[in-house]
Amino acid sequence: MLEETRSHKVNKVIERMGKKLSRQIVGSLVACVHCGMCTNSCHYVLANPDDPTFAPAYKADQIRKIFKRHFDWTGRIFPWWVNAKDYHSDEELEKLKETVFGKCTNCRRCTINCPMGVDFAVLNRMARGLLVSVGVMPEGVAVVSKDQWELGNQMGVLKEDYLETLEWLSDELENEFGDPAARIPIDKADADVIYAINPREIKYDPRTISDAARIFYLTGEKWTMASEGWDMTNFGFFSGDDDLAGTVVRRLFKKVIELRGKKLVLSECGHGYRAVRCEGPNWAGMDVPFEMESSVITMLRYLKEGRIRVDQTKNNTPVTFHDSCNNARSCGFFEEPRELLKLVATDFREMYPNRAENYCCSGGGGAMSMAEYTPLRLKAAKVKADQLKATGAKTVVTTCHNCADALTDLIRHYKLGMKVTHLVNLVSNALKVEKKVVVAEALPVLSLQGYKILVVDDEPDILTFISTVLEDQGAKAVQASDGDQALEMALKEKPDLITLDLSMPGRSGGVVFEEFRKNPALSDVKVCIITGKPELRRLIYDRPVRPPEGYLDKPVNEETLLVNVRKILEVREGEKK
Ligand code: SF4
Ligand code: SF4
């Protein structure tokens, strides 16, 4: 077939495919005998039983036919015999995009059920990379990739916001333990542990960072976090862009080397763990002169060595465990999370099937960033929802922030009424803290005199508690118990700060928050969200307005409230307004 009959993009895709044909990829391209044994292992097939285009072998054939037409001798001579096919137009590439991005999460469940050893996820990732190289990709993939290329992390977190978040988490930690040493060290050279995280933790779930920091502090670990090169995630892993994948992991490795860290401990992130520890050295093309381990292993070791002690009765609601595909199926990381979970929780209920056979959370392969496929994703999540429901657990624990997002979404969609949490949260909650914890009288003098604060909450007890704490420090507290009243009071009172609940009758706190920001008379007023629903954080930060100045989880105690209010209002000790 003449080159001129194909679009420029198609020619590029074919040319680049030739350069990507490793032995592993060719093996998977030629080995399929179309036996169909993989078909029912795919959660997309289970949700769409009458549509053959979801079958793993069918999806693989959309990639395979290009290979056969151009790189396999039988396909070049007898294309009709081996189902080889040439691609010509950009429309055909768009169709392939729908398959490789929209109909597969690269979970590899089909792979372990293939007697011929076909690894469809490897083919799918290669096809994604080929399409990305000619600009054919979902918009979300382009946006997230750009953030990771340009800002060094895939959630677009600015360096100052990252450092500021660590700073206020440190303030809370120091306050909790009454110890100036109880802070998150930044860029400390020669540390025994350098802790790398998923940027979702900074943006939506900073409690996982402070929980890890509590554990490191109580063990007396010589640890640090890096000011740059801290993102353990890797969007190149999802998009198939090997250049991005290598660049991202090199940033991480170079920072550890620069700080002369002895061990890189990776937070709970499935694909990040696989990308850094399993694939990273190859992608980075460099020697890695330090150890790497998952924080799950680190926490388990601390417990076994007696460096921390726990009271598992503090986590006594029924919990189940979701295996991240990347951690479990692809890295063989099955038993350690379970061992740790059983040490810190009293009622663990296994989910079936599990370990290598577990179903994808439905958010793998970067699916959470591809909004156009959300209905398809949630439909395919039905089998996971059924798995979760059958356990009877109230909480699902996972070792992956990506899974946490997807599970939260499907739990909401299928109305399962479950919570999602990480192992670090359970370990931290179960900790037996023997160090001195600061008492209220030891707090520094904090004058809020001259400040007016609007407290918004539909629960009278909480309204009273927050108002009393603030008034005891000299602030004038005014109150509102629903969204309409909040808006009215804010306009009338012009407060310096609004503490805002999210779940209220009538208009939700999220809607009210956006109205505050969009109202020119209130747009400068600082807002601190105080909510019992930490999972709503994303919905607040994703609104098209300036994010809130603070975000606290209920129950909030006096110390935490005052530390944060002082920080938001930039009040210094001994100063008055
Ligand atoms: S990798 Fe997972 S989502 Fe993709 S086809 Fe196989 S089973 Fe389905
Ligand atoms: S199980 Fe393997 S050989 Fe059989 S159809 Fe699936 S990919 Fe092909």
Side-chain angles (χ1 to χ4, degrees), residues 38 41-45 54-56 59 103-111 120-121 124 329 360:
C38 57
S41 50
C42 177
H43 53 295
Y44 284 98
V45 173
F54 286 97
K59 292 182 275 196
K103 294 184 176 181
C104 175
T105 55
N106 285 0
C107 76
R108 298 185 72 243
R109 196 167 189 275
C110 53
T111 298
F120 172 53
N124 204 56
R329 193 151 38 241
C360 178

Side-chain angles (χ1 to χ4, degrees), residues 31-38 57 113-116 118:
C32 180
V33 292
H34 294 91
C35 65
M37 284 178 69
C38 57
N113 288 293
C114 173
M116 305 304 292
V118 172

Side-chain angles (χ1 to χ4, degrees), residues 438-450:
V438 76
V439 291
E441 300 81 76
L443 282 173
V445 177
L446 171 70
S447 174
L448 291 176
Q449 228 166 30

Side-chain angles (χ1 to χ4, degrees), residues 88-220:
H88 293 92
S89 66
D90 291 354
E91 287 70 38
E92 287 168 294
L93 294 184
E94 286 292 330
K95 223 171 143 197
L96 183 62
K97 177 190 87 176
E98 300 299 316
T99 297
V100 301
F101 286 101
K103 294 184 176 181
C104 175
T105 55
N106 285 0
C107 76
R108 298 185 72 243
R109 196 167 189 275
C110 53
T111 298
I112 58 161
N113 288 293
C114 173
M116 305 304 292
V118 172
D119 192 339
F120 172 53
V122 167
L123 301 186
N124 204 56
R125 181 175 180 274
M126 174 192 71
R128 286 181 173 197
L130 296 176
L131 293 177
V132 165
S133 72
V134 293
V136 177
M137 65 191 118
E139 194 191 338
V141 171
V143 170
V144 180
S145 301
K146 186 170 182 289
D147 279 346
Q148 200 156 29
W149 271 117
E150 293 176 2
L151 295 170
N153 69 85
Q154 61 163 280
M155 285 206 173
V157 177
L158 298 175
K159 185 175 179 182
E160 53 267 33
D161 292 339
Y162 166 76
L163 292 174
E164 194 176 307
T165 302
L166 296 187
E167 179 75 15
W168 69 256
L169 292 175
S170 286
D171 289 346
E172 281 189 6
L173 203 64
E174 182 179 338
N175 197 44
E176 179 189 356
F177 291 105
D179 178 359
R183 298 190 69 80
I184 298 172
I186 310 289
D187 285 344
K188 206 165 90 180
D190 300 310
D192 290 334
V193 164
I194 294 189
Y195 188 53
I197 58 167
N198 181 316
R200 177 183 178 275
E201 299 183 67
I202 287 288
K203 207 159 175 185
Y204 303 120
D205 201 0
R207 292 293 141 208
T208 51
I209 305 172
S210 52
D211 282 344
R214 290 181 91 226
I215 295 165
F216 286 131
Y217 169 69
L218 288 171
T219 58

